[in-house]
């Protein structure tokens, strides 16, 4: 399973990259605003800065909601850097835009996916990635992980190449459960990735190894 980090914070992206397990970055307009990145020029520059830190795909979201606007914005984003993936919302014009970009060989990430039907449409339109938001489904007492399992089954039934990118991942158990189900990618905060490191028996064991070494080599 690929690990993407879901942030526009350059320090956190650097930290995940230095860990050596980072495969890409996802951003959205809310994450950009959280970092205080506003204005078209600053936003475009920020995407290029992110691309210079990581080796993998970097999702950059369009803010237009009509087909022509999404195509114009998406082409501009894709021209910024070869790692850019154009992130398009799951709406009617978004589906048309996914097909347009797919035909032109531009990578896409279909965002705001909350049902298996939406994921099927995104795959039919040739999306590179589909982003089901599991945390936001959990927030409304709906099983987000079940959606990942449903999409996995549908894509496997027909050999769709669209990659399932589990998004709105909130914690470490989401990461592990997505891996069990067979999600192709997960995107989450740095804390969810670093949570995989932790086990008290590792800490206790290391402490004892070091203490025993010290005794024998005092
Ligand atoms: O990638 C989508 C993600 O940013 C949404 O996460 O935590 O705002 O639901 P969240």
């Amino acid at each position: 399973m690929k690990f993407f980090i879901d942030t526009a914070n350059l320090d956190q992206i650097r930290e995940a990259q230095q860990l050596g397990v980072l495969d890409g970055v996802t951003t959205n307009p809310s994450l950009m605003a959280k970092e205080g990145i506003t204005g078209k020029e600053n936003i475009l520059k920020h995407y290029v800065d992110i691309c210079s830190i990581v080796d993998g795909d970097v999702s950059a979201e369009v803010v237009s909601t009509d087909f022509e606007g999404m195509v114009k914005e998406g082409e501009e984003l894709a021209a910024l850097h070869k790692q850019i993936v154009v992130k398009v919302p799951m709406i009617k014009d978004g589906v048309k835009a996914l097909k347009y970009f797919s035909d032109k060989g531009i990578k896409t990430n279909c965002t705001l996916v909350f049902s298996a039907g939406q994921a099927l449409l995104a795959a039919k339109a040739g999306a590179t990635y589909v982003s089901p938001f599991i945390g936001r489904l959990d927030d409304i007492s709906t099983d987000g992980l079940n959606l990942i399992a449903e999409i996995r089954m549908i894509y496997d039934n027909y050999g769709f190449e669209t990659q399932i990118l589990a998004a709105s991942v909130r914690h470490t158990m989401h990461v592990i459960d997505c891996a069990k189900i067979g999600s192709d990618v997960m995107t989450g905060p740095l804390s969810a990735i670093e949570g995989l490191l932790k086990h008290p028996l590792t800490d206790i064991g290391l402490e004892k190894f070091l203490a025993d070494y010290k005794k024998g080599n005092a």
Side-chain angles (χ1 to χ4, degrees), residues 6 26-28 30-31 87 111 131 133 135-136 139 165-170 187:
D6 195 28
T26 51
T27 64
N28 62 41
S30 306
L31 293 171
K87 205 171 178 188
T111 190
S131 287
F133 278 31
R136 291 194 194 181
D139 287 344
L165 195 173
S168 186
V169 161
R170 302 271 175 79
T187 190

Side-chain angles (χ1 to χ4, degrees), residues 12-24 53-56 190:
Q12 288 191 15
I13 294 169
R14 268 189 216 100
E15 204 168 329
Q17 174 67 20
Q18 281 162 10
L19 191 58
V21 298
L22 190 66
D23 300 297
I53 298 172
V54 297
D55 297 323
L190 183 60

Side-chain angles (χ1 to χ4, degrees), residues 53-70:
I53 298 172
V54 297
D55 297 323
D57 287 346
V58 174
S59 288
E61 187 159 341
V62 299
V63 288
S64 302
T65 52
D66 63 301
F67 173 76
E68 287 77 17
M70 283 189 239

Side-chain angles (χ1 to χ4, degrees), residues 194-213:
E194 289 187 337
L196 295 166
L197 274 169
K198 293 178 193 155
H199 200 289
L201 291 179
T202 304
D203 300 337
I204 293 167
L206 181 61
E207 203 177 317
K208 175 143 175 50
F209 285 156
L210 296 180
D212 289 345
Y213 175 83

Side-chain angles (χ1 to χ4, degrees), residues 21-198:
V21 298
L22 190 66
D23 300 297
V25 177
T26 51
T27 64
N28 62 41
S30 306
L31 293 171
M32 294 295 264
K34 193 174 162 195
E35 298 308 316
I37 314 296
T38 54
K40 189 177 166 185
E41 268 184 33
N42 292 333
I43 290 172
L44 297 184
K45 181 186 173 301
H46 202 72
Y47 288 136
V48 176
D49 290 346
I50 294 173
C51 290
S52 72
I53 298 172
V54 297
D55 297 323
D57 287 346
V58 174
S59 288
E61 187 159 341
V62 299
V63 288
S64 302
T65 52
D66 63 301
F67 173 76
E68 287 77 17
M70 283 189 239
V71 163
K72 187 167 177 284
E73 253 191 89
E75 286 183 333
E76 196 173 353
L77 289 168
L80 278 179
H81 199 283
K82 62 179 185 340
Q83 286 165 244
I84 293 284
V85 172
V86 179
K87 205 171 178 188
V88 174
M90 172 36 78
I91 55 176
K92 197 168 180 180
D93 277 26
V95 174
K96 293 179 194 169
L98 289 171
K99 176 77 176 108
Y100 173 89
F101 290 130
S102 162
D103 288 347
K104 288 199 83 178
I106 293 173
K107 285 187 180 182
T108 53
N109 175 356
C110 180
T111 190
L112 292 167
V113 166
F114 293 94
S115 75
Q118 290 178 327
L120 180 56
L121 257 184
K124 292 282 291 176
T128 313
Y129 298 102
V130 65
S131 287
F133 278 31
I134 61 175
R136 291 194 194 181
L137 282 169
D138 290 355
D139 287 344
I140 57 157
S141 310
T142 303
D143 187 352
L145 289 165
N146 186 50
L147 175 59
I148 302 292
E150 282 184 343
I151 300 171
R152 182 73 284 155
M153 186 201 292
I154 290 169
Y155 284 9
D156 288 351
N157 281 348
Y158 298 99
F160 283 120
E161 286 177 9
T162 300
Q163 295 179 53
I164 303 172
L165 195 173
S168 186
V169 161
R170 302 271 175 79
H171 50 72
T172 302
M173 272 315 292
H174 270 156
V175 179
I176 295 167
D177 286 332
C178 283
K180 283 187 191 166
I181 294 167
S183 191
D184 300 290
V185 191
M186 79 83 202
T187 190
L190 183 60
S191 59
I193 297 173
E194 289 187 337
L196 295 166
L197 274 169
K198 293 178 193 155

